[in-house]
Amino acid sequence: MEALLNKYEEEEEYEEDCPGCKVEQLKRADTSVPIKPVFFISIVTLCASLPISSLFPFLYFMVRDFHIAEREEDISYYAGYVGSSFMLGRALTSILWGVIADRYGRKPVVVIGTITVVIFNALFGLSTNFWMAIITRFLIGSLCGIIGTMRAYASEICRKEYHALGISAVSTSWGIGLVIGPAIGGYLAQPAEKYPSIFSKESFFGRFPYFLPCLMISVFALAATVMSFWLPETLHKHNKIERDKNNFNESAGGTPDESNGSNVSQNMNHSERRAPGSQKSLLKNWPLVSSIIVYCIFQLHDIAYLEIFSLWAVSPRTLGGLSFTTADVGQVLAITGLGLLLFQLLVYPLVERITGPVMISRIGAVLSIPLLASYPYLALLTGFGLSIALNCASMLKNILSVSITTGLLLMQNRAVSQEQRGAANGISMSSMSLFKTIGPAAGGSLLSWSQRRQDADILPGDQLVFFVLNVIELLGLLLTFRPFLKEPEDSDISKSKDDSLDQENGIQERLVITELP
């Protein structure tokens, strides 16, 4: 038996035909910064995030052109429901996509998601009425399961020391998409009005003024679809139990005798008894559940902020807005995206190593509260002063938001082992999407109501909107402290990894434990 144990320790730990094992071998052999995988992750994530926010600069005008709102103050109300339809679709299917990713692989989910963006985002730009816009946005949300899958993929494709870089790439691309998307929508919507020398009002883009930005995003998604076929699959697809049984038999001389058969049976039963422990209910994993709840609170705040900011900026000054054009909003958010990119690539990994993911989330929340409180007073500025102040405030606000998100995503991925990571991110995406379904509708309705109370004695006009956003931010901040939020302990993570490998290999104490992401 001692010789048998030595054989198992020396035996290669990887399956030859398993795509996940091939990735693990590459990670072990290559200790350099994973530039190529991070680039792929960024492109695919950007493809999924662009459709979410590209409509914000022109949504106000799109709903106005549908002629469904009886008063100007009601446009924000209907615009909120168009924004929420995407999140509703995603909330209903995120867990399903997570299960599919865990069973069939990450790559099929990514390919289906990018194709969805290609088709239905283009159809959204061709919407001629309110309900067509609602349905196409819902289909994009329900059929695109990329984001949750890419979170798991980012942790699996990178070595442990580069996990923060991988997750940061997801959050950065997501954040950049949420600011570059509005820039695309702002500059390219209504091209016949902005660029009459190129597009006439009688042309196709003149008759469908919101199709051009959607078309550009669909073309980018088509390129991402082609690129996704080169993504390496990271899911382990093999069952070593039968192989381990055969190896026992071979070591015993080809035909197992009664004693050796008994040993195999005992070891197999021991493995089977331990296997369910690694598949314990994710809902009983409090570090995971608590981080998801806090994450959902902050995501509710962020999506409501994005909806409110874009609608507030294009609203007339008589209603407390800034009277911006779609191009003005696009310019502000493009500058914000550049600052966000530089911060996440150059500053965030260093800060996260020094402070930890929880502390950086707390710092981001604390700084966001006074920043948001200053927004109503920006409407008092004009000209160059307004441009400088708004660009600085928008850049800082998005940097803080993405820092909060990245810290909580790191906690979620560290709280589970690989075979549960897709399902865990599916639960996270589904829960977050439910909150984000509420955000745009509630934000649009709140802004519409606040614009009708400009002369109120308490929190008049848009002051009420940003006060409510700060209340949500404060709630999220309070929940980052104990006893609510529990950080995953290293011993818990190690045990989860060990149990995962025990189940995969079939014989618990016999194999060398490898380091899983």
Side-chain angles (χ1 to χ4, degrees):
M1 182 61 71
E2 187 68 27
L4 183 60
L5 293 179
N6 292 336
K7 177 181 178 180
Y8 269 90
E9 291 176 356
E10 296 173 358
E11 186 180 89
E12 180 60 56
E13 300 168 11
Y14 301 109
E15 285 280 353
E16 182 179 355
D17 297 327
C18 173
C21 287
K22 292 179 181 178
V23 170
E24 292 295 331
Q25 287 177 300
L26 290 174
K27 286 162 55 178
R28 176 170 288 189
D30 186 2
T31 60
S32 61
V33 178
I35 298 177
K36 185 177 178 181
V38 169
F39 175 74
F40 283 166
I41 290 169
S42 301
I43 294 299
V44 173
T45 305
L46 185 61
C47 165
S49 64
L50 285 175
I52 295 178
S53 57
S54 60
L55 79 165
F56 287 150
F58 62 78
L59 181 58
Y60 184 92
F61 303 99
M62 189 184 212
V63 173
R64 182 198 64 187
D65 292 345
F66 290 154
H67 303 293
I68 193 173
E70 296 181 358
R71 297 178 299 178
E72 189 174 26
E73 295 90 336
D74 295 333
I75 294 177
S76 297
Y77 171 80
Y78 289 101
Y81 285 101
V82 176
S84 292
S85 61
F86 175 94
M87 295 301 169
L88 177 61
R90 194 165 69 176
L92 296 177
T93 60
S94 289
I95 294 179
L96 174 62
W97 287 120
V99 172
I100 293 173
D102 281 344
R103 179 169 298 181
Y104 301 104
R106 320 310 192 195
K107 190 172 178 178
V109 176
V110 172
V111 173
I112 293 172
T114 54
I115 292 175
T116 295
V117 175
V118 172
I119 297 173
F120 292 106
N121 193 67
L123 289 177
F124 172 73
L126 297 173
S127 297
T128 55
N129 57 69
F130 179 73
W131 288 109
M132 182 177 177
I134 289 282
I135 292 172
T136 51
R137 292 290 293 179
F138 175 82
L139 290 174
I140 297 173
S142 60
L143 298 178
C144 182
I146 291 177
I147 297 301
T149 301
M150 291 309 296
R151 288 189 204 159
Y153 188 86
S155 291
E156 294 163 358
I157 199 67
C158 299
R159 292 170 60 91
K160 185 177 180 180
E161 58 266 33
Y162 298 119
H163 279 188
L165 176 63
I167 295 296
S168 179
V170 175
S171 294
T172 301
S173 299
W174 180 257
I176 290 174
L178 294 182
V179 292
I180 298 298
I184 295 174
Y187 284 116
L188 299 182
Q190 300 171 321
E193 297 181 12
K194 294 185 177 71
Y195 317 107
S197 60
I198 302 175
F199 304 97
S200 66
K201 291 186 177 181
E202 292 75 25
S203 67
F204 183 84
F205 293 105
R207 290 185 288 113
F208 297 96
Y210 310 106
F211 177 64
L212 183 58
C214 297
L215 176 63
M216 292 297 101
I217 293 173
S218 291
V219 170
F220 178 80
L222 181 61
T225 301
V226 175
M227 185 180 297
S228 64
F229 284 101
W230 277 270
L231 287 175
E233 179 59 68
T234 59
L235 184 67
H236 288 276
K237 298 179 180 179
H238 53 87
N239 184 356
K240 284 184 155 184
I241 294 179
E242 187 63 29
R243 193 193 71 175
D244 292 329
K245 181 176 179 179
N246 293 336
N247 286 338
F248 266 107
N249 295 342
E250 292 170 2
S251 301
T255 303
D257 59 21
E258 182 177 353
S259 174
N260 284 335
S262 177
N263 287 337
V264 172
S265 178
Q266 289 174 4
N267 284 311
M268 299 287 286
N269 289 337
H270 180 60
S271 172
E272 289 170 0
R273 285 195 303 269
R274 289 301 304 268
S278 64
Q279 296 292 342
K280 66 180 180 180
S281 173
L282 291 174
L283 299 180
K284 295 180 180 179
N285 185 338
W286 185 246
L288 173 66
V289 172
S290 60
S291 62
I292 288 177
I293 293 174
V294 178
Y295 175 73
C296 288
I297 296 295
F298 282 116
Q299 287 298 296
L300 170 64
H301 170 276
D302 290 347
I303 194 66
Y305 165 80
L306 281 172
E307 179 84 9
I308 288 170
F309 176 83
S310 298
L311 296 175
W312 169 68
V314 299
S315 296
R317 284 189 174 270
T318 56
L319 298 178
L322 303 179
S323 294
F324 273 22
T325 64
T326 58
D328 293 332
V329 176
Q331 180 178 339
V332 170
L333 296 177
I335 294 173
T336 298
L338 177 60
L340 179 63
L341 175 63
L342 295 176
F343 172 82
Q344 284 294 103
L345 293 181
L346 303 178
V347 180
Y348 179 83
L350 176 62
V351 175
E352 191 274 334
R353 282 196 294 268
I354 296 174
T355 64
V358 177
M359 183 55 66
I360 198 171
S361 296
R362 291 171 182 165
I363 294 173
V366 168
L367 295 178
S368 292
I369 293 175
L371 178 63
L372 275 177
S374 68
Y375 268 59
Y377 302 100
L378 294 178
L380 302 177
L381 302 175
T382 57
F384 184 73
L386 172 61
S387 178
I388 294 296
L390 188 62
N391 276 292
C392 291
S394 177
M395 184 182 302
L396 182 57
K397 177 65 181 72
N398 279 277
I399 285 174
L400 296 174
S401 295
V402 173
S403 298
I404 295 170
T405 299
T406 305
L408 293 171
L409 289 179
L410 281 171
M411 285 189 60
Q412 290 176 32
N413 277 297
R414 291 174 181 176
V416 294
S417 55
Q418 191 205 33
E419 76 276 5
Q420 293 181 313
R421 198 168 286 146
N425 280 291
I427 293 174
S428 174
M429 286 296 298
S430 184
S431 303
M432 176 267 287
S433 297
L434 283 174
F435 279 73
K436 282 194 168 185
T437 299
I438 300 171
S445 299
L446 181 63
L447 180 62
S448 178
W449 179 50
S450 68
Q451 289 177 341
R452 294 197 295 266
R453 55 187 306 278
Q454 296 293 323
D455 300 324
D457 295 330
I458 301 177
L459 299 175
D462 52 11
Q463 290 186 24
L464 174 65
V465 176
F466 294 104
F467 174 78
V468 173
L469 288 177
N470 267 336
V471 170
I472 299 173
E473 189 86 356
L474 179 61
L475 175 61
L477 172 62
L478 295 176
L479 293 181
T480 62
F481 292 92
R482 285 182 177 272
F484 187 83
L485 183 66
K486 181 182 178 183
E487 298 184 55
E489 299 177 2
D490 291 339
S491 59
D492 293 339
I493 300 171
S494 298
K495 182 177 184 302
S496 178
K497 292 176 182 177
D498 292 349
D499 288 345
S500 173
L501 287 167
D502 293 341
Q503 181 189 10
E504 180 185 349
N505 293 329
I507 301 174
Q508 183 186 3
E509 292 93 1
R510 301 310 196 250
L511 300 179
V512 179
I513 299 302
T514 58
E515 182 183 87
L516 291 179

